[in-house]
Amino acid sequence: MAGAPNIREVALRAGVSVGTVSNVLNRPELVAEPTRERVYAAIAELGFVRNDSARQLRVGRSRTLGLVVLDVANPFFTDVARGVEDTANQHGLAVILCNTDEDPRKEASHLDLLAEMRVQGVLINPIDIDGRITALRGRGIPVVLFDRLGDPAVECSVAVDDVLGGRLAATHLIEAGHRSILFVGGPLTLRQVQERYEGAAAVVSAHDDVELTVLTTTALNVAAGRAAGDRLAAGGRDALPSAVFCANDLLALGVLQALTHAGLRVPADVAIVGYDDIDFAAAAAVPLSSVRQPRQQLGRTAAELLLAETTEDEHEHRQVVFEPELIVRDSSVR
Amino acid sequence: MAGAPNIREVALRAGVSVGTVSNVLNRPELVAEPTRERVYAAIAELGFVRNDSARQLRVGRSRTLGLVVLDVANPFFTDVARGVEDTANQHGLAVILCNTDEDPRKEASHLDLLAEMRVQGVLINPIDIDGRITALRGRGIPVVLFDRLGDPAVECSVAVDDVLGGRLAATHLIEAGHRSILFVGGPLTLRQVQERYEGAAAVVSAHDDVELTVLTTTALNVAAGRAAGDRLAAGGRDALPSAVFCANDLLALGVLQALTHAGLRVPADVAIVGYDDIDFAAAAAVPLSSVRQPRQQLGRTAAELLLAETTEDEHEHRQVVFEPELIVRDSSVR
DNA sequence: GCGCAGAGCTGAATCGGTTCAAAGACGGCC
DNA sequence: GGCCGTCTTTGAACCGATTCAGCTCTGCGC
């Protein structure tokens, strides 16, 4: 009796059968009012809490959803996670958070665990797109990709149009009169970096008088940005581009810091545009212009697609592509 | 057969009993080598994945751990979450993430869900310290508080010594020659804010020639900091304190931005010290001096205490208090 | 040849809800 | 009174892994 009263004890106390208690829990409208009240009372008196594993075992699936991200410490994923959590909670689902640290082995082991838990579905920003993901799907667990488009024949996916984002940034800078633009970002093997660059390059190629150069970085963090900024500043005032477009805000913050430190003024000497519009972009000493991605929206939509896949009879996979939006602040306006 | 082969099918295929398969899964050393190999082969051929709810139902507890935070989007909690996740993963546990948004009702509903899931334990930065938490514990689910000390008779807790943090900041500023210090933070009802202020006040009161004033804010975010900075700047150069100590880095970033915008120089005109040492503190245009909290460490330790409570026979509740560390950067050194 | 130890394996009981066919209660109607 | 339909409630089967008492088999010692 101590510790964990079960449904049988509740039934005993309320003077009904276990089936009735279960009905009160799951389809209260089937149970007559006085009986229902008696059951509720018994539950309260015993402090009964439904054992979810037993329910799960019978029903076949759990009330959880797996979220697999590269790194929770990255504000981008944090905001996506918020969106996922909100939507999941609205549907009574809990979210299991997994970090992969860009390690395919960690990704695999997390997916194995989620499979054992029979989660309702998995939202993932995948590293290794095939392998286990296909296996999961084969086991009837829907998988939705986010921040990465997949094959619409087999899966739903949600992403942001990074090529468009690159176009927006470049168009803005050109319209502001800049004729030499430097793209800072890397590694170029990352799809996001690649596409942001392509977008900018497409716009620039339509203007004969505009020049686009590239400075590749090894990572997308503040330290890499600072290193890039130092290199720029070291080249001397004459070698400076008139504007810098960074593949994400962390890089942009690093560049901003290094340039300011070298005595250069932003945007007077060099304009800067970042990408992501993380909260700290607006909070920088020179508020950063940035290409905003609807991060929470991304998470919410991914979760909704997943739920649709589990509930709809005839599910058709969808690809949702969001449009980014340019937020102009001080760093790019003279 | 389609979808989800179970342990019985594996047994059939390997030509052994279900008990043997279970032994291979859980205590492989009990099973003779050739049999074991046959079972492994059958598992691989069928693509068998253990059903965790069935295991859980039998064993009585799950392999998950609940983490309840005020807001994942806050970098402080994000880093704590990283620490928790790392430790949990090392022990084969998954982490269920819950946001409360400082709403006691959301906190309660999350705790109910975690109770139904029979999680191994809960790590929480509590709003409503009594109520459900006691109930959970009564049900045999250990609860560890973090960023908040609890009653050592009933629970483990992990926190950082915020009074000491306040002392460190104030001592540093006084030694740097500052004689008028402004504390910016609020609401003062928050324990953390209160204690950081107390620490600073204690140090100041030991110096007759130093003056400490307070500017309360309604929140701990960048916008509130900006508002505070604007008020300071509006008061004119003569009314300025020589140094500002902010209750967290978000406020400090806001103050920094507003002051810079008003044409004041940091640290020449006003020195600034923040609190938390979030990654963006180092990345600010004027790198921010800040009181560092061992956030990941906090998470790891909390998770370890929880695991200790579930495994030790004679568990004695512990209170772990970390010491913060002052990180001096440009914003407070002339 | 017999007894015994120990390794290896078996298979039924068990965990605690959910579900559903069927039984029971009750009222209305011919 | 008998029959029918509706509303409630019952209780046993079931989900799939774990566990453990007990069975079989082998080898060894006397």
Side-chain angles (χ1 to χ4, degrees):
Chain A
M1 187 74 64
N6 60 23
I7 200 172
R8 244 163 291 271
E9 295 173 36
V10 173
L12 197 66
R13 177 142 194 153
V16 299
S17 74
V18 293
T20 300
V21 176
S22 181
N23 279 334
V24 170
L25 256 27
N26 300 297
R27 282 110 80 216
E29 72 282 2
L30 289 186
V31 180
E33 166 95 31
T35 316
R36 212 190 307 152
E37 289 310 321
R38 237 172 334 127
V39 172
Y40 281 136
I43 288 175
E45 287 161 23
L46 294 173
F48 167 75
V49 175
R50 202 213 271 90
N51 182 324
D52 203 52
S53 6
R55 161 209 273 255
Q56 247 179 72
L57 174 57
R58 187 66 243 253
V59 174
R61 56 197 167 80
S62 74
R63 297 190 302 161
T64 55
L65 173 163
L67 174 63
V68 183
V69 302
L70 299 182
D71 180 12
V72 247
N74 181 327
F76 174 79
F77 290 115
T78 288
D79 289 343
V80 172
R82 272 313 299 252
V84 171
E85 237 241 328
D86 287 349
T87 304
N89 288 168
Q90 275 168 26
H91 293 80
L93 300 176
V95 175
I96 298 186
L97 179 70
C98 307
N99 268 303
T100 60
D101 293 327
E102 312 184 29
D103 177 352
R105 287 202 318 274
K106 285 187 85 171
E107 178 176 281
S109 88
H110 279 124
L111 290 177
D112 284 347
L113 197 56
L114 293 174
E116 287 196 4
M117 300 178 96
R118 301 290 193 272
V119 290
Q120 287 230 347
V122 173
L123 296 173
I124 185 170
N125 183 193
I127 312 166
D128 181 6
I129 191 143
D130 292 314
R132 312 260 157 169
I133 295 187
T134 317
L136 266 183
R137 202 172 284 118
R139 227 168 266 130
I141 298 180
V143 179
V144 172
L145 312 185
F146 70 85
D147 201 31
R148 157 84 115 115
L149 290 182
D151 176 354
V154 299
E155 61 211 347
C156 286
S157 47
V158 190
V160 177
D161 186 343
D162 283 320
V163 175
L164 175 58
R167 301 180 78 96
L168 289 176
T171 304
H172 166 63
L173 289 172
I174 291 172
E175 283 176 355
H178 296 285
R179 289 296 169 265
S180 71
I181 301 176
L182 174 68
F183 177 82
V184 174
L188 287 174
T189 50
L190 284 180
R191 187 196 51 76
Q192 289 91 336
V193 176
Q194 179 64 35
E195 293 186 3
R196 289 164 198 181
Y197 169 73
E198 275 172 25
V203 172
V204 167
S205 71
H207 291 77
D208 292 342
D209 58 338
V210 181
E211 179 192 38
L212 179 68
T213 49
V214 178
L215 176 54
T216 50
T217 61
T218 53
L220 290 170
N221 53 35
V222 176
R226 211 149 34 202
D230 287 338
R231 265 180 67 183
L232 270 188
R237 205 170 274 259
D238 296 339
L240 282 179
S242 76
V244 175
F245 169 36
C246 296
N248 81 356
D249 283 343
L250 299 180
L251 284 178
L253 289 172
V255 169
L256 170 62
Q257 191 190 339
L259 294 184
T260 308
H261 196 253
L264 295 167
R265 287 161 304 150
V266 173
D269 296 324
V270 183
I272 301 181
V273 173
Y275 207 107
D276 281 350
D277 192 31
I278 61 177
D279 290 343
F280 297 100
V286 179
L288 213 59
S289 295
S290 189
V291 178
R292 175 181 296 172
Q293 307 205 63
R295 299 182 296 277
Q296 260 187 254
Q297 180 69 10
L298 202 69
R300 272 198 299 272
T301 306
E304 280 159 13
L305 287 176
L306 191 62
L307 291 168
E309 189 162 348
T310 59
T311 54
E312 290 173 9
D313 289 337
E314 300 246 326
H315 179 73
E316 197 154 314
H317 294 298
R318 268 162 276 171
Q319 282 197 338
V320 178
V321 179
F322 286 105
E323 297 207 344
E325 178 191 3
L326 179 72
I327 306 296
V328 178
R329 298 201 183 84
D330 299 356
S331 74
S332 65
V333 180
R334 315 204 175 198
Chain B
M1 185 75 66
N6 60 22
I7 200 172
R8 241 164 294 271
E9 296 173 35
V10 173
L12 196 67
R13 176 143 194 151
V16 298
S17 74
V18 293
T20 301
V21 176
S22 180
N23 279 335
V24 169
L25 255 28
N26 299 298
R27 282 109 83 212
E29 72 282 1
L30 290 187
V31 181
E33 166 94 31
T35 317
R36 213 189 308 152
E37 289 310 321
R38 240 173 332 127
V39 172
Y40 282 137
I43 288 176
E45 286 160 21
L46 294 173
F48 167 75
V49 175
R50 201 214 269 89
N51 183 323
D52 203 51
S53 6
R55 161 210 271 256
Q56 246 178 70
L57 173 58
R58 188 65 241 256
V59 174
R61 57 196 167 80
S62 75
R63 297 191 301 162
T64 55
L65 176 160
L67 174 63
V68 183
V69 302
L70 299 183
D71 179 12
V72 248
N74 181 328
F76 173 80
F77 290 115
T78 288
D79 289 343
V80 172
R82 271 314 297 252
V84 171
E85 236 240 329
D86 287 349
T87 305
N89 288 169
Q90 275 168 26
H91 293 79
L93 300 176
V95 175
I96 298 186
L97 180 69
C98 308
N99 269 301
T100 61
D101 293 327
E102 312 183 28
D103 176 351
R105 286 201 320 273
K106 284 187 85 171
E107 179 177 280
S109 89
H110 279 124
L111 291 176
D112 284 347
L113 197 56
L114 293 173
E116 288 196 3
M117 300 178 95
R118 301 291 193 270
V119 291
Q120 288 231 346
V122 172
L123 296 172
I124 185 169
N125 183 192
I127 310 165
D128 180 7
I129 191 141
D130 292 313
R132 314 262 155 169
I133 295 188
T134 318
L136 265 182
R137 203 172 283 120
R139 227 167 267 129
I141 299 180
V143 179
V144 172
L145 310 186
F146 70 86
D147 200 32
R148 157 83 116 115
L149 291 181
D151 177 353
V154 300
E155 61 209 349
C156 286
S157 47
V158 191
V160 176
D161 187 342
D162 282 319
V163 176
L164 175 57
R167 300 181 79 96
L168 289 175
T171 304
H172 166 62
L173 289 172
I174 292 172
E175 283 175 358
H178 296 285
R179 289 295 168 267
S180 71
I181 301 176
L182 174 67
F183 178 82
V184 174
L188 288 174
T189 49
L190 284 180
R191 188 196 51 75
Q192 288 91 336
V193 175
Q194 179 63 36
E195 292 186 4
R196 289 166 198 180
Y197 170 73
E198 275 172 24
V203 172
V204 167
S205 71
H207 291 78
D208 291 342
D209 58 338
V210 180
E211 180 193 35
L212 179 69
T213 48
V214 178
L215 176 53
T216 49
T217 60
T218 52
L220 291 170
N221 53 35
V222 176
R226 211 147 37 201
D230 286 340
R231 266 181 66 183
L232 271 187
R237 205 170 274 259
D238 296 338
L240 282 179
S242 78
V244 175
F245 169 37
C246 297
N248 82 355
D249 283 345
L250 299 180
L251 284 178
L253 289 172
V255 170
L256 170 62
Q257 191 189 339
L259 294 184
T260 308
H261 197 255
L264 295 167
R265 289 161 303 151
V266 173
D269 296 324
V270 182
I272 301 182
V273 173
Y275 207 107
D276 280 350
D277 193 31
I278 60 176
D279 291 343
F280 297 99
V286 179
L288 213 59
S289 295
S290 190
V291 178
R292 175 182 296 173
Q293 307 205 63
R295 298 182 296 277
Q296 260 187 253
Q297 181 68 12
L298 201 70
R300 273 199 297 272
T301 306
E304 280 159 13
L305 287 176
L306 191 62
L307 291 168
E309 189 162 347
T310 59
T311 54
E312 289 173 10
D313 288 337
E314 301 246 327
H315 179 73
E316 197 154 316
H317 293 299
R318 269 163 274 172
Q319 283 197 337
V320 178
V321 179
F322 287 105
E323 297 207 342
E325 179 191 3
L326 179 72
I327 306 295
V328 177
R329 298 202 183 84
D330 300 356
S331 74
S332 65
V333 180
R334 313 203 174 201

